[in-house]
Amino acid sequence: MINSGDTAWVLISTALVILMTPAVGFFYGGMVRKKSILSTMMMCLATLFLISLQWVLIGYTLAFSPTKGGLIGGLQWLGLRGVGQLSNPDYAATIPALCFMMFQAAFAIVTPSLIVGAFVERIKFSAFLVFTGLWATFVYDPVAHWVWGVGGWLRALGALDFAGGTVVHVTAGFSALAIAMVIGKRIGYGKDNMEPGNIPLVVIGAVLLWFGWFGFNGGSALAANGLAVNAFVVTNTAAAAAATVWMILSWLHRRPSVLGVATGAVVGLVAITPASGFVDTMAAIVIGGLAAVISYYMIVLRMTLRIDESLDAFACHGMGGAWGAIATGIFASKVVNPAGADGLLLGNPGLLGTQVIAVAATAVFSFVVTYVLAVLVDLVVGLRVTSNEELVGLDISQHAETI
Amino acid sequence: MINSGDTAWVLISTALVILMTPAVGFFYGGMVRKKSILSTMMMCLATLFLISLQWVLIGYTLAFSPTKGGLIGGLQWLGLRGVGQLSNPDYAATIPALCFMMFQAAFAIVTPSLIVGAFVERIKFSAFLVFTGLWATFVYDPVAHWVWGVGGWLRALGALDFAGGTVVHVTAGFSALAIAMVIGKRIGYGKDNMEPGNIPLVVIGAVLLWFGWFGFNGGSALAANGLAVNAFVVTNTAAAAAATVWMILSWLHRRPSVLGVATGAVVGLVAITPASGFVDTMAAIVIGGLAAVISYYMIVLRMTLRIDESLDAFACHGMGGAWGAIATGIFASKVVNPAGADGLLLGNPGLLGTQVIAVAATAVFSFVVTYVLAVLVDLVVGLRVTSNEELVGLDISQHAETI
Amino acid sequence: MINSGDTAWVLISTALVILMTPAVGFFYGGMVRKKSILSTMMMCLATLFLISLQWVLIGYTLAFSPTKGGLIGGLQWLGLRGVGQLSNPDYAATIPALCFMMFQAAFAIVTPSLIVGAFVERIKFSAFLVFTGLWATFVYDPVAHWVWGVGGWLRALGALDFAGGTVVHVTAGFSALAIAMVIGKRIGYGKDNMEPGNIPLVVIGAVLLWFGWFGFNGGSALAANGLAVNAFVVTNTAAAAAATVWMILSWLHRRPSVLGVATGAVVGLVAITPASGFVDTMAAIVIGGLAAVISYYMIVLRMTLRIDESLDAFACHGMGGAWGAIATGIFASKVVNPAGADGLLLGNPGLLGTQVIAVAATAVFSFVVTYVLAVLVDLVVGLRVTSNEELVGLDISQHAETI
Amino acid sequence: MKKIEAIIRSEKLEELREALDKRGYIGMTVTEVKGRGKQKGVMLEWRVGEYRVEFLPKIKLEMVVEEKQLNEVVGVIEEVCSTGKIGDGKIFISNIEEVIRLRTRERGITAL
Amino acid sequence: MKKIEAIIRSEKLEELREALDKRGYIGMTVTEVKGRGKQKGVMLEWRVGEYRVEFLPKIKLEMVVEEKQLNEVVGVIEEVCSTGKIGDGKIFISNIEEVIRLRTRERGITAL
Amino acid sequence: MKKIEAIIRSEKLEELREALDKRGYIGMTVTEVKGRGKQKGVMLEWRVGEYRVEFLPKIKLEMVVEEKQLNEVVGVIEEVCSTGKIGDGKIFISNIEEVIRLRTRERGITAL
Ligand SMILES: Nc1ncnc2c1ncn2[C@@H]1O[C@H](COP(=O)(O)OP(=O)(O)O)[C@@H](O)[C@H]1O
Ligand SMILES: Nc1ncnc2c1ncn2[C@@H]1O[C@H](COP(=O)(O)OP(=O)(O)O)[C@@H](O)[C@H]1O
Ligand SMILES: Nc1ncnc2c1ncn2[C@@H]1O[C@H](COP(=O)(O)OP(=O)(O)O)[C@@H](O)[C@H]1O
């Protein structure tokens, strides 16, 4: 039976999550140099267009229709055939099946937009479009099926991922690392200063991400109930804890910067994502706080290694998501969610093992498939603009526009 | 009986739609020259203030209280007398009458803000206020009554308009054309370059419009049910399809620009508006995709004719809304909405005829009445600033401010 | 029993209110000079982090757990112990207790961010953090308890404050005045021009505040019912009325500015806050319109007195909130809210007296305690940056960043 | 060669560019500056009341020309930019010793 | 006539304007520039760690004055803008051959 | 002393700064300007079709140097900034009569 309160909540949550994709565009767009701000925003917008269509045509059926051996969905729901206004109790008994489809669409859309941070300021727009279409189909859709699809092998194994720590963040983060390695550094990387072009725009992005994340995690309860509320509360708390810790870390180093706390907040949001339906508020403080430490030092390491994974999708999403998934194995509690499981601290080390497997599997799969896709796209279309186009900036060279 | 889920959904939808009016201000404000950005935003803000008051005082009763011959509502609900916390089953059985009133207020507010695109950078602020007040009362309120009021003649005829293709977009678009013709071109139009002053602001506007449109169309179900979900899904899909097609069209021409895809998305949202409660997702792809083609070439034509309907409210809203209303006559299906009707493709050509009548009637009425109002305001107040004020820019000359 | 529609509404309202804190950052950030925009935004962001943590750890229990003599809550719910997914009928019978806690968190967060307007461009960031933590604990938490806590002395007295006229706006406004007096004027105040650095950012902030306020007032019904709708409608109406009146006042003086109407709108929103669950739409027009007059002339007075309460939190929030609380005593009606009371106009002068007491008590308490806290922080940490740091701007000197 | 530095009203730039274009003067560099002169500043609106902005946005146009072209160019600028109202701006003329076109490394008048 | 081009700290502009105002020097043009000198740049915070910005925001103030006023104006600028710390800036003085006031088409010293 | 005023492509600034740095030329001032020359402007995309922007963003780099350094600096600029394509920019050289370092109030060459 369709419940109007649950439907209202999942609908508005969906709208919030869809807002996150352009928000990533603001967040990333403000962090690149002035000559490529529009290009960065454009890539996130294009992800929204492209995957909106890919998902209703093919993505949803690959991820959620009846499984083929636990690895991938079938083609039964191609073009949304049979996905209608009645509920599908396999996934959510009190909202229309179309509503579940759309909520999931928002996740499928936002995930590839996170990878944009890896190749800003140097990718050819056409290559970006091809890559993103392929990535959604060959990385996101299978992993979503493994973890969330009925019959998916990680779901069957008992892996817990409330709102996408593995499906969204581990995939995006490890893929970002892979494609950054293929496409190479920006000209002048490590030598020229790469001043962020518009910090207020970064803040607008971060704030809309925080706002949207209430739908991301809260909506993942698929109902307007106590579990949704729990997810909402721990989301806010973890973000606050992570931003605070990041502020302290950068203060110890020198000065607490706006860029820093905005990043910290996002890292906290990432880390609580898989855990948000299984842990309580005090655990959220720990999860968020440690996430900040982990991602902070991962960025330090990344810079030391002189890898131009330009906006640190790997350090923030890859590591944040991995930590969150593992933390779920540590802090999960059946008091919070009877349908979940107890974690290590409540005497169940098994869950932690399962979580590690889930992280490892999605990380390796994402890295390898993305690496192959990136090399392929490079061969066929060419990933990178000419050095002259790169120096002039992607706004002019790819879109004939300036801010 | 008031249903809390439905009320929650219509309330949040109302908030989303109210957000759209300033979003139009960002969208338009970023597209004009730097010297008139604030003025453009100001006009949209002022629309929000003015019509918020006009609606509760007189607008709502003119549009929705018991009909006077199908042409206009009476004065029964003047100052919201009798519009209370209980439901009015004539319009929405499960939400308070005041909630329906407010949802409709948001539509009445956003519609005149769309016309702002016609006369930016040259209208006198006082004249703008007078015009907008008159337009709401003499154009919007009657047309809203015809199409949505109980007893309205177009509603009685069976015309379908789920969320305002005719009431909102056809009226605004054709009115924009009329007032643009009365006020005339900007100095230097077609000669000076008229660089958009702030493209990131355009994107922020477009993104908030997309976000708000989920309330616009989804909320028009007046309940949190399968129909709302359908409207939500087709809205997102049509926007994505239109943006994608626009991207391709401008790429064929030269380069895919951010301004272009932002415009394309809005056009797709416009076109799906009347159809969103009657068509399915695959139809939405067609409706959105064709809308982009229609509006794109209408802008080309408009520029060839050297009409300075500056931000193309006619091409985007007038034509987009008309196409959407006609498309409803083609693609509507009772499977999606049993309370609707079947369209041409399901063997009912009658609906298409009705839709054409509704479009024609609202277009002609809006154009003619707006033309007369514009001429009147020009005579009494003077529509246009002096050429010196225009050259200096409206920000300084009308508001004594600079960005 | 948990109601899904009510829970959905309060959850989304909470998200809206949380968005308001960064929105204050945009609103204020755009109003200061370019060299301190980031610092101003940063202080609002930091408020969000800090008080999110303070509230779940200690604030909530101080404000809402069983009373100690009507003056303060106990420590029973320290760290949210016992605050769970079931409802607490003392506060809200149809939503989880955790949901009520989170909704209240959003209020506790946004309130100190309002005070930021008092000391922008000259406060030491470390001192700001210490002050804000103390203020939340020693001013906000007690007053919240007095007015909203079960057993709080003002609540027991029958004072009405639907959504925080006293708890939020009177406390913030009078505290802003106190700390502005302690910290002193900016260098060059009254001599150098202090040009607003980014007016579009002010508009973005004001718009998000307006949007968020639907959750602020509408959500305070703690259910998706007719009362929530009433609060929503009067909120929009009062904002519109106040913005319109402000526009007229500044036009009479010289020109209607965007800064002016944005301020007017916020003042209208402030004034309707305590009244929104007790008055009808026509009263809202009066309340909003008069609020604009009061705050407008209070700013004139404040400038004449050459007090650098830089962004007029006192005039807008202190006076707006006080007027709204008193107006509740005048216009309240049991027709709107049977659980409320009738006001002066309906023949009950008693309520007005109670409201005046509530305003006076919170104003005096806030002013005095804040003054003492500010002096203490000044002694221990030092409130103010060096004059060199002030001249260079807080962005560089406190955060090593530039826009 | 001479450098003409003209501080003009922003709103005159497009018209001036066209007028110069017509007579074949293409090369120029413009900068957004803030100026102050007889027209001491402008009052702008604050939330309530107004404040004085001491500097007004102006356009600085720089053109390096041959000496024999000097009068013509100055004439065009005067023509287009004099409105007779305070704030019209000023022209400053100074000497340029050498010009180099980076593309071709040409020097002197041919490099203009 | 002489052109005084002073590169100064942004935060000194208001004070300098007032000091000049008091002595009757009203006309001036300012530009936001980025400079580099002994003070080679500044370290700004990134999300983690910091990066060097090679150019610092400075204000370029241009004033054309009569020769006999030169010393007074330079004196005022030195007075206000010397803090003794690296980054104070420089003054460059050059020759201006002609000045034209666009409003009146006056030439020479009276046009200043 | 001479003032070198170079109008260059924005994307060349970093490279030029480094090249000058290497040879010990640190002091310089840069301004974001808009220029117009042989390369008459650029077509940018509008929502539909395109429009001509008459001025292109350029960087103006100003350096005041001793006369004997002039050739070296000009050489470096030519080296780095000539691509041979339209739009490379120009260098203008003029005379500077006096330089003052505000920090120390030194005058002349030692103030550079
Ligand atoms: N002595 C000066 N040195 C440099 N720039 C000047 C000087 N006098 C005026 N200007 C510039 O010229 C602009 C116009 O000067 P103003 O005195 O207002 O114009 P006018 O006297 O021609 O009406 C000023 O805004 C300023 O930029
Ligand atoms: N040779 C030069 N040519 C042009 N501008 C210069 C030169 N040297 C310094 N400047 C300008 O002066 C500013 C201050 O120079 P800096 O060497 O930091 O100051 P100081 O030596 O007085 O402490 C620089 O930021 C730059 O804009
Ligand atoms: N006569 C001039 N006076 C001032 N600036 C000029 C002049 N000619 C060119 N410029 C500047 O030089 C830039 C490059 O000129 P352009 O003619 O496009 O380059 P080139 O001929 O070297 O390819 C222009 O954008 C403009 O800023």
Side-chain angles (χ1 to χ4, degrees), chain D residues 27-29 62-64 101-103 112, chain F residues 7 34-39 58 85-90 92:
Chain D
M28 62 185 76
T29 302
E62 287 169 292
M63 286 182 75
V64 177
R101 163 174 286 135
L102 282 167
R103 175 164 47 95
L112 277 180
Chain F
I7 317 286
K34 301 200 164 182
R36 191 171 146 74
K38 288 270 148 26
Q39 176 198 30
K58 297 275 172 190
K85 289 197 217 104
I86 277 186
D88 275 352
K90 303 237 154 100
F92 303 120

Side-chain angles (χ1 to χ4, degrees), chain D residues 2-4 25-30 61-66 69 99-106 111-112, chain F residues 6-9 33-41 54-60 83-92:
Chain D
K2 297 294 167 193
K3 183 204 256 190
I4 300 169
Y25 296 101
I26 308 293
M28 62 185 76
T29 302
V30 312
L61 179 129
E62 287 169 292
M63 286 182 75
V64 177
V65 298
E66 292 179 56
Q69 303 172 322
V99 179
I100 300 161
R101 163 174 286 135
L102 282 167
R103 175 164 47 95
T104 55
R105 309 202 181 181
E106 283 162 285
L112 277 180
Chain F
I7 317 286
I8 62 167
R9 295 179 190 276
V33 298
K34 301 200 164 182
R36 191 171 146 74
K38 288 270 148 26
Q39 176 198 30
K40 266 190 172 181
E54 301 288 355
F55 294 94
L56 291 178
K58 297 275 172 190
I59 288 291
K60 183 209 274 186
T83 68
K85 289 197 217 104
I86 277 186
D88 275 352
K90 303 237 154 100
I91 303 179
F92 303 120

Side-chain angles (χ1 to χ4, degrees), chain E:
Chain E
M1 287 152 296
K2 297 294 167 193
K3 183 204 256 191
I4 300 170
E5 224 169 322
I7 316 287
I8 63 168
R9 294 180 191 275
S10 318
E11 61 266 28
K12 287 291 184 186
L13 177 62
E14 281 290 320
E15 200 183 331
L16 179 56
R17 181 194 54 70
E18 270 174 70
L20 290 167
D21 227 25
K22 259 193 230 139
R23 308 195 190 209
Y25 296 100
I26 309 291
M28 62 185 75
T29 302
V30 312
T31 316
E32 291 176 12
V33 298
K34 302 201 162 179
R36 190 171 148 73
K38 289 271 148 27
Q39 177 197 28
K40 266 192 175 182
V42 68
M43 299 304 287
L44 292 184
E45 287 290 311
W46 174 238
R47 307 162 96 182
V48 158
E50 62 226 326
Y51 60 99
R52 168 169 298 284
V53 171
E54 301 288 355
F55 294 94
L56 291 177
K58 297 276 171 189
I59 288 291
K60 184 211 275 186
L61 179 129
E62 286 168 293
M63 287 182 75
V64 178
V65 298
E66 290 179 58
E67 279 193 63
K68 58 177 190 205
Q69 303 173 321
L70 190 59
N71 282 336
E72 187 181 4
V73 174
V74 167
V76 173
I77 300 179
E78 286 186 320
E79 204 55 55
V80 174
C81 298
S82 291
T83 68
K85 288 197 218 103
I86 276 186
D88 275 353
K90 303 237 153 99
I91 304 179
F92 303 117
I93 294 161
S94 56
N95 192 51
I96 289 288
E97 300 179 346
E98 181 63 293
V99 178
I100 301 161
R101 164 173 286 136
L102 281 167
R103 175 163 49 93
T104 55
R105 308 202 181 182
E106 282 162 286
R107 256 109 176 131
I109 287 180
T110 58
L112 275 180

Side-chain angles (χ1 to χ4, degrees), chain B residues 27 31 193 195-196 246 253-255 257 259 263 296 300 311, chain F residues 34 42-55:
Chain B
F27 186 65
M31 261 188 267
N193 80 66
E195 269 186 280
W246 201 288
H253 173 258
R254 195 157 141 257
R255 278 272 182 285
S257 72
L259 269 186
T263 305
Y296 186 97
V300 172
L311 305 178
Chain F
K34 301 200 164 182
V42 67
M43 300 303 287
L44 291 186
E45 287 290 312
W46 175 237
R47 306 162 97 182
V48 157
E50 61 225 326
Y51 61 98
R52 168 170 297 284
V53 171
E54 301 288 355
F55 294 94

Side-chain angles (χ1 to χ4, degrees), chain A:
Chain A
M1 255 282 295
I2 303 300
N3 174 299
S4 66
D6 293 345
T7 304
W9 176 239
V10 180
L11 274 184
I12 186 62
S13 291
T14 306
L16 291 178
V17 182
I18 288 178
L19 186 59
M20 291 171 73
T21 299
V24 172
F26 302 151
F27 186 65
Y28 283 172
M31 260 187 269
V32 300
R33 286 171 289 178
K34 285 211 163 63
K35 59 187 175 182
S36 297
I37 291 183
L38 295 177
S39 137
T40 305
M41 294 169 73
M42 179 75 163
M43 288 194 275
C44 293
L45 292 179
T47 306
L48 171 53
F49 311 149
L50 270 193
I51 310 304
S52 285
L53 297 176
Q54 186 266 1
W55 188 253
V56 297
L57 292 173
I58 175 106
Y60 183 58
T61 193
L62 288 181
F64 287 98
S65 78
T67 195
K68 304 284 176 209
L71 293 177
I72 189 78
L75 296 178
Q76 217 166 311
W77 300 344
L78 201 73
L80 301 189
R81 215 169 355 143
V83 182
Q85 298 185 23
L86 301 180
S87 76
N88 176 351
D90 276 355
Y91 289 113
T94 62
I95 62 173
L98 210 52
C99 188
F100 177 76
M101 182 287 297
M102 194 67 216
F103 185 63
Q104 288 298 335
F107 284 67
I109 292 164
V110 76
T111 307
S113 80
L114 302 171
I115 307 175
V116 166
F119 45 61
V120 289
E121 306 203 69
R122 58 201 187 282
I123 201 168
K124 214 187 275 180
F125 186 58
S126 54
F128 160 76
L129 293 176
V130 173
F131 171 76
T132 297
L134 293 172
W135 190 89
T137 310
F138 293 105
V139 180
Y140 185 84
D141 295 345
V143 175
H145 186 75
W146 299 355
V147 180
W148 287 337
V150 169
W153 73 273
L154 283 170
R155 176 173 170 154
L157 211 67
L160 296 182
D161 186 353
F162 194 68
T166 52
V167 178
V168 172
H169 297 290
V170 168
T171 59
F174 283 82
S175 297
L177 189 61
I179 191 167
M181 288 168 66
V182 176
I183 198 170
K185 300 176 195 184
R186 283 169 289 177
I187 297 173
Y189 177 75
K191 226 174 42 164
D192 301 354
N193 79 67
M194 305 237 167
E195 269 186 279
N198 190 333
I199 297 180
L201 195 61
V202 175
V203 177
I204 291 178
V207 161
L208 292 182
L209 285 174
W210 186 312
F211 180 58
W213 229 293
F214 292 127
F216 203 91
N217 291 354
S220 288
L222 298 171
N225 55 17
L227 190 59
V229 172
N230 186 82
F232 191 114
V233 173
V234 296
T235 298
N236 191 67
T237 307
T244 305
V245 169
W246 202 288
M247 183 172 82
I248 295 168
L249 290 175
S250 48
W251 214 335
L252 290 176
H253 174 256
R254 193 156 143 257
R255 278 271 183 286
S257 72
V258 175
L259 269 186
V261 298
T263 304
V266 169
V267 165
L269 292 163
V270 167
I272 200 64
T273 294
S276 54
F278 307 109
V279 305
D280 70 12
T281 313
M282 294 305 119
I285 296 181
V286 180
I287 294 175
L290 284 180
V293 176
I294 293 170
S295 292
Y296 186 96
Y297 286 105
M298 181 52 71
I299 298 185
V300 172
L301 178 65
R302 197 268 304 158
M303 294 195 304
T304 312
L305 298 175
R306 302 178 75 76
I307 300 170
D308 187 14
E309 204 274 273
S310 314
L311 306 177
D312 285 302
F314 173 69
C316 297
H317 296 276
M319 294 310 291
W323 158 242
I326 288 165
T328 307
I330 301 172
F331 296 100
S333 151
K334 283 191 165 180
V335 175
V336 172
N337 186 348
D342 281 333
L344 185 66
L345 293 189
L346 289 170
N348 174 20
L351 180 61
L352 183 56
T354 314
Q355 295 298 97
V356 170
I357 293 173
V359 167
T362 53
V364 170
F365 178 79
S366 304
F367 186 90
V368 171
V369 178
T370 302
Y371 201 98
V372 171
L373 289 178
V375 169
L376 275 178
V377 174
D378 198 21
L379 286 174
V380 178
V381 192
L383 270 180
R384 211 165 162 143
V385 296
T386 66
S387 71
N388 194 39
E389 288 171 322
E390 185 175 341
L391 286 172
V392 168
L394 299 194
D395 287 4
I396 290 272
S397 78
Q398 302 298 294
H399 308 291
E401 281 178 307
T402 52
I403 47 162

